[in-house]
Amino acid sequence: MIEKEILLEAFRLMCTANAMAATYESNRKVCTYVHSTSRGHEAIQLATAFQLLPCDYVSPYYRDESLLLGLGFSPYQLMLQLLAKKDDLFSGGREYYSHPSSKDKDKPTIIHQSSATGMQAIPATGIAHGLQYLEQIKSPLYRNGEEAERPIVICSLGDASITEGEVSEAFQVAAQKQLPIIYLVQDNNWGISVTAAESRSMNAYQFIKGFKGIKRVSFDGSDFFESYKIMKEVVQEVRDTSQPYLVHATVPLLGHHTSGVRKEFYRTEEELAKSYENDPFSNLKHKLIHKGFSEEELSETEVRAREDVNNFFNEAVASEDPDPSQVSAHIFEPTPIAAERGERSPAGKEKIVMVDAALFAIRELMAEHPEAILYGQDVGKRLGGVFREAATLGEQFGDHRVFNTAIQEAYIIGSTAGMSAVGIKPIVEIQFADYIYPGINQLATEVAKSCYLSMGKFPVSAVIRIPIGAYGGGGPYHSGSIETMLLSIKGIKIAYPSNAADMKGLMKAAFYDPNPVVMLEHKGLYWSKVPGTEDARMVEPNSDYVLPLGKGNIVLAAEAEKINAGDTCCIVTYGMGVYWALEAAKGFIGHVEIIDLRTLFPLDEKLVFERVKVHGKCVVLTEEQQNNSFAEALAGRISKACFQFLDAPVQTMGAMNLPAVPMNKILENEMLPNAEKVSRLIENLLTC
């Protein structure tokens, strides 16, 4: 039996959702931003919301308005987001309707997620993955006291999203790791205008059978009584066992796909009429009357709901719009690392290679911070990374803290959003830069936007390590440079160290930064095996050494008298470019200054512009293919900022504009810059 109070609350909220949908429809000229409503989905959403506790986590999708009402958010709060108002508590007018992000202590936590269909499955599974780890280490972040309930995760999806490959990645991890997550699939038979028969060979209930270890159930999600009973049982089972479940609830779509893609565009009157036969609102009202509830009381509830919704709507319409001056707030959260500190070159220590500098930095961080974990392909203790960049960490910290993943770049990157939300500090690795592309969706859509669109509630604190660059015949799929593509994604930071000391200091800064940081690590510099890169080896800094992001370094200075004579130039570079420039500069003693950027974003423009103005001549040197590259963009910015100080056009040198790095070493060398090519450019620039 369901308590009378719960049934009345469910009916009241269905009345509210119904009135909200009707209000939005009758005020289309005011409700100009694209939105969806929950009409047809109300029963399963409310039945789910009523089972959840403040310790839980929810990852809704864009039609989950009734779920939010059931969690305790008011129509007025939701309408502020609908109208993109200043006081929208989720995003301050930045995000679509029913795209919440919340840390309210009296409700489940809701991390930010995008509208990209199915993409929430990976961050939500990352939450469950993180909760499992916190329970393993008995962290106080897991739950408040032994008597507190075990938290679970609800990931809400439409059935059409199950065809997305990233959803399958999430299912794989949940099944393998046995995570405390419920995938709530609301199947309304539509994917915009595409029916289930057109787009998929099976529904989610049938599909999940292939993932061993995930329990499943399928039922009529338009029936509140059945939905409440089953969700109560499923939630309790997952809370007790911490094992995954898929709930497949069939529901009608009674509203439009969105306000911009209206139901009459693609559905016949007969189809719409048939859908209304399973209207959760009408069905619940009929059953309540059959069970003896007063028709008069229910009618009064409907009238009050319409009045309340109307009042809330008028109040929301009259509320303030966002302040344009705040449009740039919360791109990043402030980092505690603002200055270089600690001992960079302690006496009595030997020089180490770059790969060991990264390894030692992570070892120190993991020893000090139990919330730090490391995962990616082949980083576990059996191999310790294909470059041995994680060697010994698995043995020292255990399989629960250093572990292998499957070939799942999307999960590796996207799961960090969920991990970070529960207080974990993930350090993850993409095995080669060329492998990043399957993970770009999660990086750009979920990770990079989370801080900005949640108004700082959910910055993703993660370090993403990526071996990069060409040397020694690595071939077209293990030699690529990707910095320009990454720099086009706003909301992430990018470091690119060129020596062991910088590697250790930047790795520490990246870890303590509350924002996502990509560490680009040139694999040709890892071991200093490339001739001319011996100086990448440096004395290991002390454990307290940290180097802030965004601080460039002059690695070679020009002579003052040659500067005064106007006979010098400045090379701005990073990574392997530092060593090409150093080798080339040997033929122009005192005439060349070299700036190592060390961080590509944030960029030390102040240093670059100051030094270019001193020399009047500049080369921007990169390993990337030159056309449309970061280097060319930087050259343009230098030209604009330093125009009146320039004695010659800013020069750019990069790799040849080929689709890939060829395998043959002779061809590889021909494609890439080198010291000889840089020397010719310096000579031309100094004599112009």
Side-chain angles (χ1 to χ4, degrees):
M1 294 292 292
I2 304 175
E3 294 87 342
K4 177 180 178 181
E5 292 76 13
I6 292 175
L7 292 172
L8 288 175
E9 180 65 0
F11 182 73
R12 183 185 73 81
L13 292 176
M14 283 196 195
C15 291
T16 300
N18 201 348
M20 290 165 71
T23 299
Y24 303 161
E25 183 68 11
S26 62
N27 289 273
R28 289 172 61 189
K29 290 184 178 180
V30 178
C31 303
T32 57
Y33 300 109
V34 174
H35 59 272
S36 299
T37 72
S38 58
R39 285 293 286 123
H41 294 231
E42 304 98 320
I44 181 58
Q45 291 182 17
L46 292 171
T48 300
F50 290 170
Q51 315 306 323
L52 300 179
L53 302 173
C55 63
D56 295 327
Y57 292 78
V58 181
S59 189
Y61 88 124
Y62 57 81
R63 204 176 295 283
D64 278 345
E65 151 195 88
S66 287
L67 187 146
L68 298 176
L69 291 171
L71 292 177
F73 294 102
S74 73
Y76 176 68
Q77 290 173 316
L78 302 187
M79 290 170 182
L80 289 173
Q81 187 172 55
L82 172 86
L83 300 171
K85 293 293 188 174
K86 174 184 177 181
D87 292 331
D88 159 28
L89 78 161
F90 302 133
S91 71
R94 301 174 179 190
E95 185 58 286
Y96 295 100
Y97 184 57
S98 194
H99 284 62
S101 56
S102 172
K103 283 186 169 182
D104 286 6
K105 292 185 178 180
D106 63 338
K107 300 179 183 70
T109 298
I110 306 175
I111 68 170
H112 168 266
Q113 68 185 49
S114 72
S115 282
T117 306
M119 296 306 98
Q120 70 271 33
I122 284 178
T125 305
I127 295 174
H129 203 166
L131 289 174
Q132 183 185 71
Y133 172 70
L134 293 176
E135 184 177 28
Q136 286 174 332
I137 66 170
K138 295 180 171 53
S139 169
L141 295 173
Y142 178 64
R143 57 179 175 178
N144 295 320
E146 290 298 319
E147 302 303 317
E149 292 281 3
R150 301 168 83 188
I152 65 163
V153 181
I154 298 284
C155 176
S156 181
L157 301 153
D159 195 77
S161 70
I162 303 304
T163 58
E164 285 278 8
E166 293 186 18
V167 176
S168 292
E169 288 194 21
F171 288 166
Q172 283 277 6
V173 176
Q176 181 197 19
K177 301 290 186 180
Q178 289 293 283
L179 303 178
I181 186 168
I182 298 169
Y183 298 102
L184 171 61
V185 179
Q186 301 173 57
D187 187 355
N188 62 27
N189 194 56
W190 292 96
I192 307 185
S193 68
V194 181
T195 65
E198 292 176 272
S199 63
R200 48 197 188 272
S201 60
M202 64 191 80
N203 65 31
Y205 178 75
Q206 297 160 334
F207 182 64
I208 204 67
K209 186 178 180 180
F211 293 87
K212 185 179 179 180
I214 299 181
K215 289 193 172 185
R216 60 181 182 148
V217 63
S218 182
F219 58 91
D220 179 4
S222 68
D223 183 334
F224 179 78
F225 285 85
E226 184 175 13
S227 298
Y228 186 89
K229 175 179 177 294
I230 292 175
M231 289 309 300
K232 184 175 183 179
E233 293 170 354
V234 169
V235 167
Q236 193 58 53
E237 181 173 349
V238 175
R239 205 180 293 286
D240 290 341
T241 66
S242 291
Q243 294 176 332
Y245 225 110
L246 182 132
V247 172
H248 175 252
T250 57
V251 292
L253 178 60
L254 303 183
H256 309 293
H257 167 68
T258 66
S259 56
V261 183
R262 301 177 62 76
K263 56 189 177 185
E264 59 266 23
F265 293 174
Y266 60 94
R267 298 172 69 182
T268 66
E269 291 184 5
E270 291 77 15
E271 287 172 331
L272 289 168
K274 186 172 180 60
S275 294
Y276 272 91
E277 292 175 5
N278 290 324
D279 181 356
F281 173 71
S282 300
N283 291 349
L284 180 60
K285 184 176 181 180
H286 176 76
K287 288 184 178 181
L288 292 180
I289 292 172
H290 182 71
K291 287 182 173 293
F293 286 80
S294 163
E295 287 191 54
E296 181 180 0
E297 181 183 8
L298 298 181
S299 295
E300 288 177 356
T301 300
E302 287 186 70
V303 171
R304 283 197 303 273
R306 285 195 294 268
E307 291 175 349
D308 289 344
V309 165
N310 184 63
N311 291 335
F312 284 137
F313 185 75
N314 290 334
E315 187 179 350
V317 170
S319 67
E320 288 185 66
D321 286 320
D323 179 355
S325 69
Q326 296 302 304
V327 69
S328 297
H330 301 297
I331 298 173
F332 295 110
E333 285 299 282
T335 175
I337 308 302
E340 186 173 7
R341 63 172 186 258
E343 193 166 358
R344 180 180 173 92
S345 301
K349 281 194 174 183
E350 295 183 357
K351 290 184 177 182
I352 60 171
V353 292
M354 277 183 64
V355 71
D356 283 347
L359 173 66
F360 298 162
I362 292 172
R363 178 185 295 161
E364 291 167 359
L365 289 166
M366 294 189 72
E368 186 176 352
H369 300 280
E371 70 275 18
I373 62 174
L374 172 69
Y375 56 98
Q377 295 170 36
D378 298 302
V379 301
K381 62 186 177 185
R382 186 177 289 111
L383 181 60
V386 294
F387 299 102
R388 303 293 288 159
E389 71 280 4
T392 72
L393 295 178
E395 290 92 336
Q396 182 172 351
F397 297 107
D399 294 336
H400 63 304
R401 293 189 68 188
V402 180
F403 53 88
N404 292 326
T405 67
I407 304 172
Q408 295 180 325
E409 287 81 9
Y411 185 83
I412 292 168
I413 290 176
S415 61
T416 64
M419 292 278 191
S420 177
V422 300
I424 288 174
K425 301 280 284 189
I427 304 169
V428 301
E429 182 181 310
I430 301 299
Q431 201 165 72
F432 291 91
D434 307 78
Y435 297 174
I436 187 67
Y437 298 101
I440 287 296
N441 195 9
Q442 287 290 324
L443 183 62
T445 307
E446 307 296 338
V447 173
K449 291 180 173 63
S450 182
C451 185
Y452 182 69
L453 293 178
S454 69
M455 293 197 300
K457 292 191 291 294
F458 292 102
V460 179
S461 183
V463 179
I464 301 170
R465 300 183 65 188
I466 306 178
I468 191 171
Y471 88 103
Y477 301 107
H478 299 79
S479 307
S481 291
I482 58 169
E483 53 263 37
T484 295
M485 180 199 60
L486 291 177
L487 286 160
S488 72
I489 301 171
K490 314 310 175 191
I492 61 174
K493 299 182 180 182
I494 302 171
Y496 201 143
S498 67
N499 60 68
D502 288 351
M503 172 73 87
K504 188 170 185 182
L506 289 170
M507 188 70 76
K508 293 287 184 81
F511 180 83
Y512 290 116
D513 200 303
N515 305 287
V517 181
V518 175
M519 292 288 296
L520 298 178
E521 306 172 15
H522 200 293
K523 61 184 192 289
L525 298 177
Y526 264 159
W527 297 92
S528 290
K529 290 182 178 179
V530 178
T533 64
E534 294 79 10
D535 286 346
R537 295 172 178 259
M538 284 195 162
V539 170
E540 181 192 356
N542 281 345
S543 61
D544 63 348
Y545 179 67
V546 63
L547 178 63
L549 304 176
K551 300 294 184 183
N553 183 41
I554 299 173
V555 296
L556 180 68
E559 293 177 6
E561 67 177 61
K562 291 183 172 60
I563 294 174
N564 293 334
D567 197 19
T568 60
C569 69
C570 176
I571 300 179
V572 179
T573 189
Y574 54 94
M576 187 64 79
V578 171
Y579 298 95
W580 293 326
L582 285 169
E583 184 64 25
K586 291 178 182 178
F588 306 90
I589 302 298
H591 293 271
V592 178
E593 179 169 298
I594 301 172
I595 295 175
D596 181 357
L597 293 174
R598 303 199 290 199
T599 306
L600 307 187
F601 192 89
L603 183 68
D604 195 348
E605 287 188 343
K606 182 175 182 289
L607 175 65
V608 171
F609 295 162
E610 283 179 354
R611 301 313 300 168
V612 171
K613 289 175 182 178
V614 167
H615 297 281
K617 297 175 183 179
C618 176
V619 176
V620 182
L621 175 61
T622 180
E623 183 174 323
E624 276 196 295
Q625 290 91 328
Q626 182 172 324
N627 279 9
N628 304 311
S629 64
F630 158 68
E632 286 197 334
L634 178 55
R637 284 149 69 184
I638 292 171
S639 296
K640 182 178 179 181
C642 306
F643 180 75
Q644 61 184 325
F645 298 90
L646 293 175
D647 299 320
V650 177
Q651 301 295 304
T652 309
M653 174 175 282
M656 294 174 64
N657 298 300
L658 306 179
V661 180
M663 177 75 76
N664 182 277
K665 293 180 184 180
I666 297 172
L667 298 178
E668 178 189 81
N669 290 335
E670 181 65 19
M671 176 193 182
L672 295 175
N674 57 38
E676 183 181 349
K677 294 177 184 178
V678 176
S679 293
R680 290 198 295 267
L681 183 56
I682 294 172
E683 184 174 11
N684 290 336
L685 191 57
L686 290 176
T687 57
C688 70

